[in-house]
Amino acid sequence: MRPAIAPVLAAVAVLAAPSAAQATATVLTDSPCYLTNRTVRLTGTGFAPSTQYTVSLDGAALGPGMTSPDGAFEGKLGSGHLGHLRHQRHIVTVSDGTNMASAPFEVSRFTASFDPAAGDPRSLLVRFSVYGFGLGAMVAPTVYLHYLSPSGRAGSTVRVGRTHGACGSLGRSRLHHLFPFHPRTGTWHLQFDTHSRYSAASRPRVVRTVVVR
């Protein structure tokens, strides 16, 4: 599903560009990954000076803009929605008719879940999925799962797995027991985060509730 896009990209910045003999058109996004409904900021250099350029996303035209006198521009578009998807990769392309450059970016939900989601929690075997835990991280983080008992006491911690990609995601972990111990009756809180020790202040984090009867 294609994100909702602002129809026109404004060329407002004057950026340093290589000499005409060495100029190579380039386009960059300000991040390799975004959550849904965020602003994707573009910068470009090496295009023809004071020339109209066009922008397309995944091959679909978005709108025009005008480069600065040194062949640079800045613009923006929306990261959009994902619909039923959890993750999607896009390619944004800019062309002035002579020069063309492209840049990839990814869009992700921020979520954690397990599958299957129904069954006896005392014996259920599941695969965990986590998305969007690595935004802004220099290295794809490892995600952990902490178990909080019905009384609020922190108990066991399980290593879910190492994430990958620009968004820090793990589509399907290896098989785990939903509870690696025999849980007592009550409402348990399962906290996914990137720390090997539990803390209520951990960020980023996702908390899921499991009722054991």
Side-chain angles (χ1 to χ4, degrees):
M1 177 177 292
R2 187 160 59 249
I5 303 298
V8 178
L9 304 180
V12 296
V14 177
L15 305 177
S19 66
Q22 298 175 333
T24 300
T26 61
V27 174
L28 296 174
T29 61
D30 62 335
S31 174
C33 181
Y34 303 84
L35 298 181
T36 59
N37 302 312
R38 298 296 194 273
T39 298
V40 179
R41 299 188 184 280
L42 305 175
T43 58
T45 59
F47 291 89
S50 303
T51 299
Q52 180 171 292
Y53 64 87
T54 58
V55 180
S56 62
L57 184 68
D58 302 332
L62 301 183
M66 188 70 66
T67 62
S68 63
D70 64 354
F73 73 88
E74 282 192 352
K76 59 185 179 180
L77 53 86
S79 64
H81 305 282
L82 284 173
H84 65 282
L85 299 176
R86 296 181 180 180
H87 176 272
Q88 194 168 20
R89 186 175 187 269
H90 297 287
I91 298 289
V92 58
T93 301
V94 179
S95 173
D96 63 12
T98 301
N99 306 286
M100 179 182 295
S102 299
F105 68 91
E106 300 178 28
V107 180
S108 177
R109 296 186 185 277
F110 175 56
T111 187
S113 60
F114 52 87
D115 181 56
D120 184 351
R122 292 184 174 87
S123 58
L124 193 62
L125 281 170
V126 300
R127 295 187 189 275
F128 297 113
S129 299
V130 297
Y131 291 89
F133 276 75
L135 274 73
M138 297 297 293
V139 178
T142 297
V143 173
Y144 298 88
L145 173 57
H146 310 281
Y147 293 84
L148 279 72
S149 72
S151 65
R153 179 185 293 273
S156 297
T157 292
V158 170
R159 183 183 184 276
V160 173
R162 181 77 173 268
T163 62
H164 55 82
C167 300
S169 301
L170 176 62
R172 282 170 63 84
S173 75
R174 65 177 179 82
L175 276 173
H176 294 261
H177 285 282
L178 179 59
F179 284 89
F181 53 86
H182 187 76
R184 63 187 179 88
T185 300
T187 299
W188 289 78
H189 291 88
L190 279 56
Q191 178 170 306
F192 297 82
D193 62 39
T194 57
H195 300 276
S196 59
R197 289 191 174 187
Y198 168 77
S199 171
S202 290
R203 299 290 188 277
R205 67 175 182 183
V206 172
V207 179
R208 297 297 184 194
T209 300
V210 177
V211 177
V212 178
R213 294 185 172 84

